[in-house]
């Protein structure tokens, strides 16, 4: 009976008791109607989800700035100031990166937050950024890595096994941190590990990338469809969902600007890359969690084209819990189980068992005994 409850009671949650932050994001409740207790809860949920900056712009959209309680405004303005400063710092760091890479053949592709910031794509407003993600062809990795090292970005990973793990099996080399400024660059050659079952052809992504102009010329970003597919793949192949709702909001902002015909082209492109399943999940949970409209045709096209919807009862039970804000007020008794199952799933999707089991065993040994296994 408990197992059945795990699989089905998400429907009750979606119908009657969604977290306050999700209700606000779905526009089912206005910020203007919240009392002090609700604001306190909303700010704490948004802080855990890294969406306070989004709340600032929602309040601005509702013409509520200046009318909100002083304590609430202090939180929202602080988040905006932090996001604005980080955005300026981020652009300056990309400028330093551009100077470091002068003379190299080919324009590297900015991914995720770096692309949102440099191209001022919809998700950048109010968003906090962390690392700079770059993508170049696999055979160009040594040249770009050497140039970055000459300009102060050095590998953080000194462990021989971890170096091998990244370079032999992953879609990126170990992170590079600048020795003075602390900025971190993740240098990719694909968007999924080489060992992943659904690892796409990176050449298709690089060929369709779009050159930036103006101050950020010399860099590219993924095409509008590919950046949605990458965002969906990153979210639904990941095993950590602390900021899953923030990533879903990013996807919403990328998808809602597409018309219906372009959303159908998104489906075609996802199939070309072999990444139809994460795109299906993205559209499904945009519809179910954030109430994004106009996705039914694209979802139907995905469902008709292949075996995508198997295990959806289980997937709904997992994702509809894991994608809620990582705050105790948003959890039920099964949330931790759901997040653990998705964490294990992400490892399985990224690496076949004959590689995964020895890898996890080795990491467990190091964690327990603090030394390499020989």
């Amino acid at each position: 009976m408990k197992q059945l409850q795990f699989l089905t009671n998400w429907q009750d949650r979606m119908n009657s008791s969604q977290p306050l932050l999700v209700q606000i994001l779905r526009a089912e409740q206005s910020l203007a109607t919240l009392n002090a207790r609700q604001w306190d809860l909303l700010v704490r949920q948004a802080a855990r989800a890294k969406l306070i900056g989004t709340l600032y712009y929602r309040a601005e959209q509702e013409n509520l700035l200046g009318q909100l309680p002083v304590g609430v405004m202090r939180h929202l303005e602080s988040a905006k100031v932090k996001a604005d400063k980080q955005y300026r710092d981020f652009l300056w760091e990309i400028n330093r990166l551009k100077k470091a890479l002068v003379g190299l053949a080919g324009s590297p592709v900015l991914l995720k937050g770096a692309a949102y910031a440099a191209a001022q794509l919809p998700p950048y407003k109010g968003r906090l950024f962390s690392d700079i993600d770059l993508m170049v062809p696999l055979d160009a990795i040594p040249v770009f890595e050497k140039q970055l090292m000459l300009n102060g970005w050095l590998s953080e990973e000194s462990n021989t096994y971890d170096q091998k793990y990244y370079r032999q099996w992953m879609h990126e080399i170990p992170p590079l941190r600048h020795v003075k400024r602390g900025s971190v660059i993740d240098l990719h050659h694909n968007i999924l590990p080489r060992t992943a079952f659904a690892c796409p052809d990176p050449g298709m992504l690089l060929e369709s990338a779009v050159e930036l102009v103006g101050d950020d010329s010399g860099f590219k970003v993924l095409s509008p469809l590919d950046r949605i597919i990458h965002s969906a793949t990153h979210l639904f192949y990941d095993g950590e969902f602390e900021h899953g709702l923030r990533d879903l909001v990013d996807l919403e902002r990328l998808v809602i600007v597409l018309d219906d015909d372009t959303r159908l082209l998104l489906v075609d492109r996802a199939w070309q890359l072999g990444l139809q399943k994460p795109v299906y999940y993205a559209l499904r949970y945009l519809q179910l969690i954030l109430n994004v409209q106009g996705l039914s045709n694209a979802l139907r096209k995905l469902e008709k084209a292949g075996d995508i919807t198997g295990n959806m009862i289980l997937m709904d039970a997992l994702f509809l819990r894991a994608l809620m804000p990582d705050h105790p007020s948003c959890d039920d008794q099964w949330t931790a189980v759901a997040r653990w199952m998705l964490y294990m799933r992400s490892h399985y999707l990224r690496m076949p068992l004959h590689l995964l089991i020895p890898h996890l065993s080795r990491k467990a040994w190091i964690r327990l005994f603090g030394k390499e296994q020989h």
Side-chain angles (χ1 to χ4, degrees), residues 254-307:
L254 294 173
V255 167
I256 59 174
V257 298
L258 304 182
D259 60 28
D260 195 50
D261 289 340
T262 310
R263 290 173 183 178
L264 296 178
L265 293 176
L266 172 67
V267 173
D268 296 337
R269 181 63 172 172
W271 277 98
Q272 287 175 1
L273 291 166
L275 295 171
Q276 61 277 8
K277 190 161 277 188
V279 170
Y280 178 78
Y281 290 151
L283 299 183
R284 179 175 179 83
Y285 298 117
L286 283 173
Q287 190 178 65
L288 286 176
I289 296 177
L290 297 182
N291 196 29
V292 176
Q293 301 297 304
L295 302 179
S296 297
N297 289 339
L299 282 166
R300 273 196 295 272
K301 187 173 181 179
L302 279 161
E303 290 166 356
K304 287 179 180 177
D307 182 22

Side-chain angles (χ1 to χ4, degrees), residues 31-237:
L31 295 176
T33 66
L34 301 184
N35 57 37
R37 184 182 60 81
Q38 289 173 313
W39 265 114
D40 176 66
L41 178 61
L42 180 63
V43 167
R44 286 187 285 121
Q45 290 180 355
R48 293 297 294 266
K50 289 193 177 299
L51 284 169
I52 291 193
T54 297
L55 285 187
Y56 176 91
Y57 288 104
R58 178 60 62 89
E60 183 182 66
Q61 184 183 344
E62 295 187 22
N63 294 317
L64 292 175
L65 296 178
Q67 302 176 38
L68 299 177
V70 174
V72 171
M73 278 307 301
R74 192 175 297 129
H75 282 290
L76 300 192
E77 288 177 339
S78 173
K80 179 180 183 299
V81 168
K82 183 177 180 181
D84 288 349
K85 179 184 183 304
Q86 200 178 71
Y87 174 65
R88 291 192 299 272
D89 293 346
F90 210 71
L91 293 184
W92 190 83
E93 200 62 37
I94 289 176
N95 176 270
R96 297 297 91 187
L97 182 58
K98 179 179 177 180
K99 290 182 181 299
L101 299 179
V102 165
L104 297 188
S107 301
V109 179
L110 296 168
L111 300 174
K112 297 188 295 185
Y116 302 155
Q120 294 194 352
L121 298 173
Y124 94 94
K125 211 169 183 181
R127 193 186 193 278
L128 297 177
F129 304 98
S130 53
D131 306 341
I132 297 175
D133 293 277
L134 282 181
M135 182 174 171
V136 299
L138 176 60
D139 59 7
I141 288 281
V143 175
F144 276 83
E145 182 181 10
K146 180 180 179 182
Q147 193 70 9
L148 290 168
M149 291 176 69
L150 289 173
N151 285 274
W153 280 280
L154 303 181
S155 177
E156 291 189 292
E157 194 55 71
S158 59
N159 182 288
T160 303
Y161 175 76
D162 287 340
Q163 283 281 347
K164 177 186 175 184
Y165 169 79
Y166 274 99
R167 294 178 188 276
Q168 186 170 337
W169 295 322
M170 291 295 103
H171 51 305
E172 58 186 324
I173 65 172
L176 304 170
R177 181 181 294 276
H178 198 276
V179 292
K180 292 184 178 177
R181 299 192 299 273
S183 60
V184 176
I185 292 176
D186 291 328
L187 187 58
H188 299 247
H189 52 79
N190 207 329
I191 61 173
L192 277 179
R194 300 158 94 172
T195 53
F197 297 115
C199 185
D201 176 0
M204 294 176 66
L205 298 165
L206 293 169
E207 288 170 9
S208 301
V210 181
E211 191 86 41
L212 294 177
V213 297
D215 293 340
D216 296 311
S217 60
F219 289 105
K220 292 182 178 179
V221 294
L222 293 176
S223 72
L225 298 184
D226 287 353
R227 69 183 67 131
I228 293 172
I229 294 169
H230 178 216
S231 182
T233 302
H234 179 72
L235 175 57
F236 291 101
Y237 270 75

Side-chain angles (χ1 to χ4, degrees), residues 321-342:
R321 289 183 171 89
L323 290 171
M324 293 298 108
D326 183 26
H327 186 270
S329 64
C330 308
D331 293 349
D332 69 6
Q333 61 179 321
W334 300 107
T335 298
V337 174
R339 290 194 166 129
W340 178 80
M341 290 177 69
L342 288 172

